[in-house]
Amino acid sequence: MDVSSINTNQAQRDQHLATGDFFLTEEHPHMTFRSTGIREDGDDMLIDGELSLRGVTKPVTLKTEFGGVITDGYGQVKLGAEATTKIDRTEFGVNWNAALEAGGFTLGNDVTINLDVQFVLQAA
């Protein structure tokens, strides 16, 4: 994923996310996931792999939900799925935070990553 493509509908926040406080996009323009295996756990399909962000690579497991396979109105065969995982942002060097006047901090350490994906079968 091209992390510079993040759009929160607030330009100032998007600029801050690109800095060293968060994604450091100038030095690390991409977040990547490389699958190392797929396994079943009851009704769940788990995809194990390695997530790389800000030059740090850590193992993660994506819990997936298969959406189904359809043939669309153009004759394309498509598969849809959703996947989710949770990471500790500080393990990837994302340490920025700000104290709140009422106590506590602006950001928690846990970040949930949600993926909605669609694959299109290509003709051979």
Side-chain angles (χ1 to χ4, degrees):
M1 179 178 94
D2 179 357
V3 292
S4 68
S5 70
I6 291 173
N7 182 342
T8 66
N9 290 322
Q10 188 181 61
Q12 190 175 11
R13 179 174 37 219
D14 295 344
Q15 290 168 0
H16 189 201
L17 289 172
T19 70
D21 286 344
F22 291 95
F23 293 115
L24 192 61
T25 57
E26 193 170 297
E27 293 179 33
H28 304 285
H30 298 100
M31 177 171 53
T32 61
F33 175 79
R34 186 182 69 84
S35 173
T36 58
I38 298 174
R39 58 194 165 92
E40 288 184 61
D41 182 22
D43 291 337
D44 296 326
M45 181 69 66
L46 305 176
I47 303 173
D48 298 313
E50 298 174 340
L51 179 69
S52 296
L53 175 63
R54 286 184 54 118
V56 176
T57 301
K58 298 278 184 182
V60 299
T61 298
L62 298 173
K63 182 178 175 182
T64 64
E65 184 176 320
F66 178 65
V69 176
I70 65 158
T71 301
D72 70 13
Y74 300 101
Q76 295 180 315
V77 178
K78 296 182 176 180
L79 178 147
E82 296 177 357
T84 186
T85 192
K86 188 180 290 187
I87 63 169
D88 179 338
R89 67 185 177 87
T90 63
E91 291 181 357
F92 292 88
V94 182
N95 297 308
W96 181 88
N97 219 336
L100 298 171
E101 286 182 30
F105 291 92
T106 304
L107 302 176
N109 290 345
D110 289 340
V111 175
T112 300
I113 298 172
N114 295 306
L115 304 171
D116 293 314
V117 296
Q118 183 181 87
F119 300 94
V120 179
L121 180 65
Q122 293 183 342

